[in-house]
Amino acid sequence: MINLLGKVELSKARGTVDSNRRTRAMELAAFLVLHPGATAPQIDEVLSPRGGLTTPNTRNTRLRDVRRWLGLDDEGQPFFRRMTKHADGHRLVGVECDWIQFQLLHNVALQVPRAQGQALLRRALELVRGRPFSGVGSTYYSWAEPIVEDINDKVVNSASLLAHWYLEAGDGRGALRAAGRGLEVAREREELWRHRFRALALLGDHSGLEEAIQRLETLLVDNGWAMEEETYETIRMAQVTRR
């Protein structure tokens, strides 16, 4: 399993690779699972993102590291198949990725009745462990920047929708959990804070509400951001509710 929704990790690998080669092998594995059919020039761009020269020997060495680390499936076949003359680029076979799983759950959740959709969004958000692609050095994963933006948007949208559904059902704790999971990824997204305020007001947790308001205000001040008008109104209504 290649985990990207939080710290980048490879779990349940069946092979090994030297520790001093894992950083580059991890990045290459992440790229390959998200770009099936990747070509040699695309892989070279990952290995030398600033336009440096990557020789075929270097590329093949890096690819062998990924193949050895992933290991073999139950039938003795490598998860990272070797290129053949007629193969359409490099690809991983049978390797799971939490971001791919999230997208599948998210997309289906929007097409089914609400009860089923809630269950699917809960499962999707359970995959989220923190900010995507965290724990990596600044010289790695430049290719992932647009993917990170997409992840943030879909996680926030999922958390916001699920929290909204819970609030409509009068389930403050469910809304609080959903909003909290989204804030682990994008703590600057005020729509999630608004859901948190509404949930705390619904639960009658007045001290928790004031603490959450203070945390958002501190975040905004520290970053020089202005509070959204809708957030002001939500705070006012939440504070009125407690009286």
Side-chain angles (χ1 to χ4, degrees):
M1 168 73 85
I2 294 176
N3 300 300
L4 306 175
L5 301 180
K7 183 179 179 181
V8 176
E9 296 176 333
L10 175 62
S11 60
K12 300 180 181 178
R14 296 191 177 185
T16 60
V17 66
D18 292 343
S19 59
N20 63 333
R21 304 173 78 90
R22 287 192 175 190
T23 299
R24 182 60 80 187
M26 183 70 253
E27 180 179 15
L28 193 49
F31 179 82
L32 290 169
V33 79
L34 297 181
H35 298 84
T39 63
Q42 289 174 321
I43 291 170
D44 290 348
E45 179 63 26
V46 173
L47 297 175
S48 300
R50 291 177 175 80
L53 178 65
T54 299
T55 67
N57 184 56
T58 297
R59 180 195 321 123
N60 291 335
T61 297
R62 299 301 188 188
L63 292 173
R64 280 196 298 271
D65 287 341
V66 175
R67 184 173 292 110
R68 289 168 180 163
W69 196 5
L70 293 176
L72 306 178
D73 63 20
D74 292 339
E75 297 179 354
Q77 294 295 318
F79 286 105
F80 180 20
R81 302 293 166 83
R82 294 183 181 279
M83 283 280 290
T84 63
K85 183 179 296 185
H86 305 292
D88 181 21
H90 297 270
R91 66 184 61 247
L92 308 183
V93 178
V95 178
E96 296 182 342
C97 173
D98 57 358
W99 170 227
I100 293 175
Q101 292 179 346
F102 183 99
Q103 293 177 88
L104 291 172
L105 292 166
H106 170 272
N107 293 341
V108 175
L110 302 182
Q111 302 174 37
V112 297
R114 179 177 293 194
Q116 294 173 263
Q118 284 187 203
L120 292 172
L121 287 182
R122 281 198 304 270
R123 286 175 56 192
L125 290 171
E126 286 170 0
L127 297 171
V128 178
R129 299 170 292 111
R131 287 187 175 269
F133 287 89
S134 61
V136 301
S138 59
T139 58
Y140 299 94
Y141 296 90
S142 58
W143 55 268
E145 291 176 4
I147 297 173
V148 171
E149 292 181 10
D150 190 27
I151 292 174
N152 288 345
D153 286 341
K154 281 193 170 63
V155 170
V156 169
N157 291 342
S158 297
S160 183
L161 178 58
L162 186 58
H164 174 72
W165 283 346
Y166 278 131
L167 287 170
E168 283 194 337
D171 185 349
R173 297 197 182 282
L176 204 57
R177 286 194 300 270
R181 190 55 63 96
L183 286 169
E184 291 179 15
V185 168
R187 62 193 181 102
E188 70 282 359
R189 297 291 285 267
E190 288 188 41
E191 63 191 275
L192 297 173
W193 285 99
R194 293 193 288 269
H195 288 312
R196 172 171 280 185
F197 300 154
R198 295 184 185 107
L200 290 167
L202 181 63
L203 292 168
D205 186 353
H206 308 313
S207 61
L209 173 61
E210 292 304 320
E211 180 183 352
I213 293 171
Q214 185 175 0
R215 287 177 61 191
L216 174 59
E217 290 175 340
T218 300
L219 174 66
L220 295 175
V221 169
D222 288 347
N223 288 277
W225 300 331
M227 183 179 289
E228 297 171 6
E229 187 60 36
E230 188 176 350
T231 304
Y232 276 118
E233 182 62 18
T234 300
I235 291 174
R236 187 184 71 80
M237 294 300 296
Q239 291 175 327
V240 167
T241 301
R242 74 181 183 179
R243 297 191 182 105

